[in-house]
């Protein structure tokens, strides 16, 4: 894995003051510290080019060894022409044009759809022994208003193949999809979504309920896929089986509330195995209907208290990048996996079991799981590849909110216009970053690299 994020950020405390909201609304209320953003020099193709080339270089992968490449993104340019086609430039010199995969779009879910396709390709008769590459990337910007502090920007690239550092479990993926207008982008002349914030929060939790139950049904039906020797044959697989529970993170407070909700969901499952295993502190809610409980503030508060230790131990370590960068849409879940890896050492992380939840508005959601390898040499390679992430975060530039607003106004005004010559300062970009040099009359984009 590798991650790219912008070299500029706005601090959420600065933004609270600038927007005239009460102190703590973004930092405590939403759980966010900083928000990464980029100017008119970068677009979705450039950030995908940057992270893909960086991954190939860091892990010394020959472009000829990639047989499948798929992009998950909801940041749209050129509509019918996929970002994947732009990335083919990175393979030109190797002569490799035989690369399956295209791009997947459904809000924050496209990265997961791409990952599942990559795994399926490797398990299929079409697999030719080469690696698959998955890139999840987005520039997440909202119109001025309540949703704007939940923006962000980032790109994660993942190499998929045998001898993996993180091994995905088979036969347990659970999915929930439905037709909802909680967040969508009907105005093709704008980068901004139409978003119904409260509805999107409710849909996220509803999807969590559905995916959780289906996941554990499947996990218990396919126990041999998940169990190893230390786990008793008789006991059911439940939340306690996992060392880390990692989420798509639109903003960190929603993730904390999701861990709280899982406490209720898990207790409902435990109760079916043995009524005495139901948490006595939840007695009042023994028969509560899930669909009636989304706006029950008293229950939410109780669950937040009961799950706080679980949150600190199993989920909080995965939120470092989400707090520092914000929502990266399709890349968010995968940035959380990277944060989890960066939170500990090779010695401590071997064999750890991860439960993963992906959500994309509209809506498409999945729960799946993975285990970190027991092979320290393989895991060390991943650690070495991610070794520069923390220092890159520290080297970022803190930009005042007025400049952040000005930059977003510039992106808004110049979005999708042609011809256009970007004005952003190239000296702010780190070595290896791709940027737009020009957009000509026919909307052809050309890129260069710092
Ligand atoms: N100190 C501490 N907490 C505070 C303060 C303060 N001074 N002021 C407000 N808060 C708390 C509120 O009590 C609230 O907490 P709660 O959720 O526990 O009730 C929280 O801050 C948010 O404040 P609200 O006024 O309720 O909400 P707001 O109008 O700011 O909107 C929202 C928040 C809906 C998340 C908005 O930012 C949004 O629409 N974001 C985009 C949609 C989104 O991310 N959805 C998630 C799933 S879909 C996806 O991935 C895109």
């Amino acid at each position: 894995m590798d991650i790219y994020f912008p070299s500029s950020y706005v601090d959420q405390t600065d933004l609270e003051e600038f927007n005239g909201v009460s102190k703590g609304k973004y930092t405590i209320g939403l759980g966010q510290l900083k928000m990464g953003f980029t100017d008119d020099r970068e677009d979705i193709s450039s950030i995908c080019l940057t992270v893909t080339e960086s991954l190939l270089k860091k892990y010394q992968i020959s472009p000829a060894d990639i047989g499948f490449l798929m992009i998950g993104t909801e940041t749209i340019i050129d509509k019918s022409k996929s970002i994947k086609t732009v990335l083919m430039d990175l393979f030109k010199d190797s002569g490799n044009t035989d690369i399956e995969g295209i791009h997947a779009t459904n809000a924050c879910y496209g990265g997961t759809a791409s990952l599942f396709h990559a795994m399926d390709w490797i398990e299929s008769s079409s697999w030719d022994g080469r690696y698959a590459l998955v890139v999840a990337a987005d520039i997440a910007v909202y119109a001025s208003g309540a949703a704007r502090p939940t923006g962000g920007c980032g790109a994660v690239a993942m190499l998929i193949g045998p001898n993996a550092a993180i091994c995905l479990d088979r036969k347990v993926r659970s999915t929930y999809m439905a037709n909802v207008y909680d967040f969508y982008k009907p105005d093709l002349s704008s980068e901004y979504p139409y978003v119904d914030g409260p509805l999107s929060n409710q849909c996220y939790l509803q999807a969590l309920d559905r995916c959780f139950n289906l996941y554990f049904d499947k996990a218990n039906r396919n126990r041999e896929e998940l169990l190893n020797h230390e786990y008793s044959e008789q006991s059911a697989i439940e939340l306690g089986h996992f060392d880390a529970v990692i989420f798509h993170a639109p903003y960190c407070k929603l993730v904390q509330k999701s861990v709280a909700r899982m406490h209720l969901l898990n207790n409902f499952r435990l109760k079916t195995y043995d009524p005495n295993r139901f948490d006595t502190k939840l007695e009042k809610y023994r028969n509560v209907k899930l669909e009636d409980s989304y706006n029950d503030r008293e229950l939410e508060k109780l669950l937040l208290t009961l799950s706080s230790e679980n949150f600190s131990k199993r989920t909080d370590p995965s939120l470092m990048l989400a707090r520092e960068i914000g929502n990266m849409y399709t890349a968010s879940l995968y940035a959380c996996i990277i944060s989890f890896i960066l939170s500990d050492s090779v010695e401590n992380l071997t064999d750890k079991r991860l439960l993963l939840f992906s959500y994309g508005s509209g809506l498409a959601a999945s729960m799946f799981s993975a285990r970190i390898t027991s092979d320290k040499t393989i895991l060390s390679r991943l650690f070495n590849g991610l070794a520069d992430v923390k220092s890159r975060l520290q080297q970022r530039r803190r930009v005042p909110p007025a400049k952040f607003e000005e930059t977003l106004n510039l992106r808004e005004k110049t979005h999708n216009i042609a011809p256009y010559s970007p004005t952003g300062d190239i000296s702010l970009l780190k070595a290896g970053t791709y940027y737009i040099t020009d957009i000509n009359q026919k909307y052809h984009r050309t890129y260069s690299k710092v």
Side-chain angles (χ1 to χ4, degrees):
M1 299 179 90
D2 197 10
I3 183 165
Y4 171 74
F5 43 81
S7 56
S8 299
Y9 72 88
V10 61
D11 192 275
Q12 295 280 7
T13 50
D14 294 348
L15 209 54
E16 284 170 354
E17 206 181 318
F18 183 78
N19 288 346
V21 301
S22 56
K23 200 168 162 24
K25 175 158 186 177
Y26 303 156
T27 46
I28 300 164
L30 299 176
Q32 294 302 118
L33 295 180
K34 295 169 186 167
M35 178 168 45
F37 70 98
T38 186
D39 62 21
D40 63 348
R41 276 291 173 191
E42 291 179 281
D43 66 7
I44 185 60
S45 295
S46 75
I47 68 172
C48 287
L49 284 163
T50 304
V51 77
T52 306
E53 186 171 273
S54 170
L55 177 132
L56 293 174
K57 274 197 176 147
K58 273 184 177 175
Y59 296 94
Q60 297 176 320
I61 303 295
S62 160
D65 288 340
I66 303 295
F68 183 100
L69 167 59
M70 190 145 171
I71 318 292
T73 185
E74 56 164 295
T75 309
I76 308 298
I77 47 174
D78 295 338
K79 289 187 232 164
S80 69
K81 179 171 156 53
S82 76
I83 310 299
K84 155 75 180 294
T85 59
V86 181
L87 291 195
M88 288 311 295
D89 280 350
L90 297 178
F91 298 86
K92 222 187 229 166
D93 290 347
S94 72
N96 181 10
T97 52
D98 176 22
I99 304 178
E100 278 192 29
I102 207 74
H103 88 201
T105 295
N106 189 89
C108 308
Y109 188 79
T112 300
S114 303
L115 176 63
F116 287 0
H117 285 318
M119 286 161 63
D120 295 346
W121 176 71
I122 285 177
E123 287 187 335
S124 77
S125 62
S126 302
W127 187 46
D128 60 6
R130 291 185 294 166
Y131 290 111
L133 193 54
V134 169
V135 182
D138 273 301
I139 297 172
V141 281
Y142 289 95
S144 179
R148 181 159 278 187
T150 60
C153 174
V156 171
M158 301 177 264
L159 191 70
I160 320 290
N163 303 316
I166 302 172
C167 314
L168 293 153
D169 296 323
R170 300 180 311 156
K171 299 186 188 175
V172 290
R173 300 190 317 216
S174 68
T175 288
Y176 172 63
M177 298 212 181
N179 179 16
V180 198
Y181 282 98
D182 60 328
F183 167 116
Y184 53 110
K185 292 179 175 164
D187 180 357
L188 297 173
S189 67
S190 167
E191 273 197 299
Y192 302 144
Y194 281 32
V195 57
D196 180 338
L199 177 64
S200 71
N201 286 338
Q202 180 168 325
C203 289
Y204 182 104
L205 295 177
Q206 223 156 10
L208 181 70
D209 290 353
R210 301 291 283 265
C211 288
F212 182 96
N213 281 324
L214 194 53
Y215 173 87
F216 283 98
D217 285 347
K218 290 189 183 182
N220 282 299
R221 273 205 308 271
N222 298 288
R223 300 164 60 80
E224 70 287 352
E225 294 292 331
L226 296 179
L227 299 185
N228 58 9
H229 312 298
E230 95 272 5
Y231 207 76
S232 136
E233 277 283 312
Q234 285 80 35
S235 53
I237 296 170
E238 44 98 7
L239 197 51
H241 175 74
F242 293 96
D243 303 292
V245 186
I246 302 178
F247 297 81
H248 163 58
Y251 57 96
C252 295
K253 189 67 178 290
L254 182 60
V255 173
Q256 194 169 353
K257 289 184 181 185
S258 302
V259 173
R261 191 153 182 95
M262 274 188 170
H263 184 75
L264 179 69
L265 299 173
N266 200 48
N267 268 278
F268 278 160
R269 290 196 73 88
L270 293 177
K271 176 177 83 163
T272 63
Y273 306 128
D274 174 359
N276 294 325
R277 289 184 75 189
F278 194 74
D279 188 342
T280 50
K281 297 192 193 73
L282 276 175
E283 199 48 46
K284 188 177 152 193
Y285 298 99
R286 188 177 271 271
N287 297 314
V288 74
K289 283 204 175 86
L290 285 178
E291 58 275 25
D292 297 338
S293 65
Y294 297 111
N295 297 312
D296 187 332
R297 305 290 288 189
E298 199 189 322
L299 171 62
E300 183 186 275
K301 206 169 153 210
L302 176 63
L303 292 172
L304 279 167
T305 308
L306 297 178
S307 63
S308 67
E309 204 184 312
N310 224 352
F311 173 72
S312 306
K313 193 173 134 204
R314 292 193 161 97
T315 301
D316 194 57
S318 66
L319 292 176
M320 185 269 288
L321 288 163
R323 282 197 185 96
E324 287 279 333
I325 300 170
N327 194 354
M328 292 162 254
Y329 289 164
T330 53
S332 170
L333 170 65
Y334 302 98
C336 288
I337 296 176
I338 291 176
S339 297
F340 176 70
I341 298 290
L342 292 172
S343 73
D344 215 327
S345 61
V346 171
E347 283 67 30
N348 290 339
L349 283 175
T350 50
D351 271 330
K352 289 278 182 276
R353 292 169 295 212
L354 320 181
L355 185 63
L356 308 164
F357 177 63
S358 176
Y359 176 81
S361 292
L363 69 81
S366 291
M367 188 166 281
F368 55 114
S369 58
R371 178 191 285 263
I372 296 181
T373 178
S374 54
D375 186 323
K376 291 190 180 133
T377 312
I378 291 176
L379 189 53
S380 298
R381 278 191 80 198
L382 178 60
F383 265 78
N384 294 339
L386 297 173
D388 64 342
V389 173
K390 285 187 179 164
S391 61
R392 279 196 278 134
L393 273 177
Q394 278 159 8
Q395 285 157 16
R396 292 182 301 167
R397 193 174 63 113
R398 179 174 179 166
V399 173
K403 180 74 187 161
F404 162 72
E405 289 278 325
E406 193 186 301
T407 306
L408 256 59
N409 289 341
L410 173 73
R411 282 190 74 89
E412 193 177 319
K413 265 197 245 123
T414 60
H415 176 68
N416 230 1
I417 63 168
Y420 181 63
S421 296
T423 55
D425 184 357
I426 296 159
S427 71
L428 300 175
L429 303 173
K430 277 185 72 69
T433 307
Y434 277 85
Y435 60 91
I436 311 171
T437 46
D438 183 54
I439 302 171
N440 75 14
Q441 206 127 25
K442 288 180 145 182
Y443 293 88
H444 298 182
R445 290 168 186 246
T446 45
Y447 300 91
S448 255
K449 192 173 60 172
V450 181

